[in-house]
Amino acid sequence: MTVTASSTPGGAPGSASAPAASKNGSGAGPLAGKTVVIDPGHNPNNFRHTQEINEPVDIGTNKKECDTTGTDTNDGYTEAEFTLDVSHRIRAILEKQGAKVVFTHDGDRTFGPCVDERARIGNQAKADAVVSVHADGADEGQRGFHVILPAKVKGGAADTAPIVGPSRELGVRIAGKFVQDTGMNASNYVGDGTALDTRSDLGGLNLSKVPKVFIECGNMRDSRDSALLKSAEWHQKAAQGIADGIMAFLGG
């Protein structure tokens, strides 16, 4: 999720196309009647619109930039490409279980959406769960995944008190299933080994009225993590882990 100076998207060696999504909201399966919003972090086109994404938006407690470009691997595979591919795979899994899956965007916008709109999409969908998919951009040797939970904040349009508890439950479920399905260890640099980090500075969490978490699936700037993050096979494992955590939270 960290911003980098890179501006040229690269391709992931050996990446396969994301599987086609099944019929949205099929009405059959253990998640029938449930709505899940998947928020693919950043946008592949953001780097072309730095002025627009740097415009501040109100996140309740203060103002923050609309969005960021995201990070990338040392050979140019971008976080935005990664998050879209994994999000497509999550959608296919959840729709097979009967869930209605809504995306905040599908790479079809010139930039964004801004963080306040991303929260608003989940709120308007009356989502049972929202997951924002990311990858981190930390130093070499800093490895593993972590799930970001909303802190209790109140100010302006932000009031997370009603969602702090269920969001934590969602995050715990996802963290447990992600370890199980991917074999990825909890972050060795965030969360003190718990794979959980609570933050009050993210507009997408501050403005949410429904249970929501972010997941940083690994560190794109660590050579060992990045090898996984560029692997289509590992993308599927990551998607399964996230989807399994959502299903566990929703009782599916």
Side-chain angles (χ1 to χ4, degrees):
M1 194 171 72
T2 305
V3 182
T4 73
S6 174
S7 62
T8 305
S15 285
S17 298
S22 58
K23 184 179 178 182
N24 201 353
S26 63
L31 296 186
K34 301 293 187 182
T35 298
V36 178
V37 172
I38 300 299
D39 178 29
H42 312 289
N43 181 320
N45 298 310
N46 274 358
F47 77 97
R48 296 187 178 94
H49 297 275
T50 54
Q51 181 176 345
E52 292 92 337
I53 66 172
N54 283 330
E55 286 294 318
V57 297
D58 191 343
I59 66 167
T61 53
N62 61 295
K63 290 191 174 183
K64 200 167 183 180
E65 62 268 28
C66 158
D67 201 5
T68 63
T69 59
T71 190
D72 56 10
T73 62
N74 291 327
D75 58 357
Y77 178 53
T78 68
E79 180 185 0
E81 292 175 276
F82 169 80
T83 64
L84 272 176
D85 186 63
V86 172
S87 294
H88 288 151
R89 296 168 187 270
I90 297 169
R91 178 171 63 187
I93 295 167
L94 294 178
E95 287 181 348
K96 286 180 180 178
Q97 300 300 312
K100 176 183 178 183
V101 180
V102 176
F103 271 27
T104 57
H105 77 98
D106 201 0
D108 50 351
R109 297 173 57 134
T110 53
F111 66 91
C114 296
V115 294
D116 56 340
E117 184 181 355
R118 290 173 187 264
R120 192 157 55 246
I121 291 167
N123 296 341
Q124 291 174 345
K126 294 181 170 55
D128 296 288
V130 184
V131 177
S132 190
V133 181
H134 288 267
D136 212 356
D139 293 334
E140 175 73 30
Q142 296 183 320
R143 300 194 63 201
F145 81 97
H146 64 278
V147 179
I148 303 174
L149 314 175
K152 189 174 182 180
V153 298
K154 186 174 177 63
D159 182 4
T160 61
I163 69 161
V164 166
S167 295
R168 183 175 184 83
E169 182 183 349
L170 173 62
V172 168
R173 297 282 191 167
I174 290 175
K177 295 296 185 181
F178 201 80
V179 169
Q180 178 179 312
D181 290 345
T182 67
M184 172 78 79
N185 290 328
S187 170
N188 65 6
Y189 62 100
V190 174
D192 295 323
T194 67
L196 302 174
D197 183 35
T198 300
R199 290 176 57 175
S200 61
D201 63 320
L202 298 176
L205 295 179
N206 287 2
L207 299 174
S208 185
K209 308 298 182 187
V210 294
K212 182 174 182 177
V213 299
F214 283 43
I215 181 167
E216 300 279 5
C217 295
N219 177 17
M220 298 193 90
R221 291 304 180 91
D222 176 80
S223 55
R224 289 174 293 178
D225 272 12
S226 68
L228 297 174
L229 294 165
K230 293 186 291 183
S231 161
E233 180 181 359
W234 194 84
H235 286 195
Q236 191 63 34
K237 292 178 181 179
Q240 190 69 57
I242 295 167
D244 282 349
I246 294 169
M247 286 188 278
F249 172 71
L250 297 178

